[in-house]
Amino acid sequence: MPARLKLLLAVGAVLAAVVVVVPTAIATPARTVSGEWSTSQLNATGFKPAGANLKLPGTVDSVWSGDLAGTTVAVATFLIHADGSVVAAPARETFDGTLFGVRSGTLSFIEEAHSQPDGSTEIDATIIGGTGELAQLHGRVIFLGICDINGSCTGTYRGQIQG
């Protein structure tokens, strides 16, 4: 058998293996995650008037339970509007804990948080990185809850995680 034909057959076999293996690795199904969360009060690191509003940079520590269980630290500048509503975007949050109680590591999120004058709060969080057994995860989690005037919050989360 000529060397050229052997090379073509070998390359063909490798390409066939890639076609079979790669889609299986990429196509891991998304899994739903859910649970509860609570935060400590806002630890303000300064403040600055912004017209009728107030910019308040700070950090917030939280505890998550459920499918994602662990602790986090969020860093953001909170824009407090004159009507009492609050926006924090982009916020950065680092989760340290477990997924489904078996995979551990950290997850980094970028978030957009909105709180209404009555304290009702929604946070849209997208995974932008991770470490350890959580390094290959990506997805999105939505947090719903209620926050008090000091920034302490409680609520639930639900989302889709893949990887």
Side-chain angles (χ1 to χ4, degrees), residues 79-156:
L79 182 61
I80 302 170
H81 296 280
D83 68 357
S85 62
V86 179
V87 175
R92 303 248 182 214
E93 188 161 11
T94 303
F95 167 83
D96 185 5
T98 63
L99 172 63
F100 302 122
V102 294
R103 294 171 68 180
S104 63
T106 66
L107 289 173
S108 297
F109 292 88
I110 190 161
E111 302 172 340
E112 184 171 321
H114 295 271
S115 184
Q116 300 307 313
D118 67 359
S120 60
T121 299
E122 181 174 332
I123 304 166
D124 185 342
T126 301
I127 298 170
I128 59 170
T131 66
E133 296 171 305
L134 307 181
Q136 301 303 315
L137 297 179
H138 58 279
R140 185 170 170 235
V141 181
I142 303 295
F143 297 81
L144 299 174
I146 191 83
C147 297
D148 66 22
I149 190 104
N150 296 317
S152 297
C153 307
T154 59
T156 60

Side-chain angles (χ1 to χ4, degrees), residues 45-89:
T45 58
F47 69 92
K48 180 180 178 182
N53 305 318
L54 181 65
K55 286 186 177 181
L56 197 63
T59 62
V60 175
D61 298 326
S62 66
V63 175
W64 300 2
S65 62
D67 296 330
L68 288 164
T71 59
T72 74
V73 176
V75 178
T77 296
F78 299 85
L79 182 61
I80 302 170
H81 296 280
D83 68 357
S85 62
V86 179
V87 175

